[in-house]
Amino acid sequence: MEILLVEDDPGDVLMTREAFEDHRVPNNVSVVGDGVSALEFLRKQGQYAQAPTPDLVLLDLNLPKMDGLEVLAVAKGDPMLRHIPVVVLTTSDAQEDVVGSYSLHANAYVTKPVDFDRFIDVVRRIDDFFVSVVRLPGR
């Protein structure tokens, strides 16, 4: 499975990669650190011209250049991208972020646990769900 992780915190990138690497199902995880790069990746623009089309996007909300809600709005408003599932994976537990994400058609909203073991468990559960339970477009 091709996963795009949109995350600017190097520690969270490391933990997410570790959760996927140590899990039973191999995934290819690409990482971008800001909202503008996320859209360039998804649209295969510039340095991302050869980027794989992700089967799943894990999207932080607190991003430089363009925040996650803006990325979500653009991606879900684009007929070429809207079919890609987006899981908002963020530290925010603010109700307005939850409501805003779902109103922009996020497929799920997950608040990042601060505890390392819980964080790993959450990422693995997301992986299990999207690999073993749901049927993704093009798969």
Side-chain angles (χ1 to χ4, degrees), residues 22-42:
D22 290 344
H23 208 212
R24 60 181 170 77
V25 179
N27 296 296
N28 182 38
V29 180
S30 300
V31 179
V32 295
D34 65 76
V36 171
S37 296
L39 290 175
E40 289 173 352
F41 187 101
L42 290 167

Side-chain angles (χ1 to χ4, degrees), residues 65-117:
K65 298 186 183 178
M66 176 185 282
D67 73 32
L69 288 176
E70 292 173 292
V71 172
L72 185 59
V74 172
K76 291 301 185 175
D78 185 327
M80 299 300 292
L81 303 176
R82 71 172 51 128
H83 70 281
I84 300 171
V86 176
V87 174
V88 173
L89 181 61
T90 189
T91 56
S92 173
D93 62 358
Q95 187 64 20
E96 62 266 19
D97 287 337
V98 175
V99 171
S101 295
Y102 282 118
S103 60
L104 292 170
H105 307 288
N107 296 84
Y109 189 101
V110 179
T111 303
K112 294 178 195 173
V114 292
D115 174 77
F116 175 78
D117 291 330

Side-chain angles (χ1 to χ4, degrees), residues 15-66:
M15 287 192 298
T16 304
R17 282 188 180 278
E18 185 173 317
F20 282 118
E21 287 170 2
D22 290 344
H23 208 212
R24 60 181 170 77
V25 179
N27 296 296
N28 182 38
V29 180
S30 300
V31 179
V32 295
D34 65 76
V36 171
S37 296
L39 290 175
E40 289 173 352
F41 187 101
L42 290 167
R43 291 176 168 159
K44 300 178 184 286
Q45 297 172 332
Q47 68 179 338
Y48 304 108
Q50 301 302 315
T53 300
D55 299 302
L56 176 65
V57 175
L58 299 179
L59 178 65
D60 189 21
L61 292 184
N62 304 311
L63 297 168
K65 298 186 183 178
M66 176 185 282

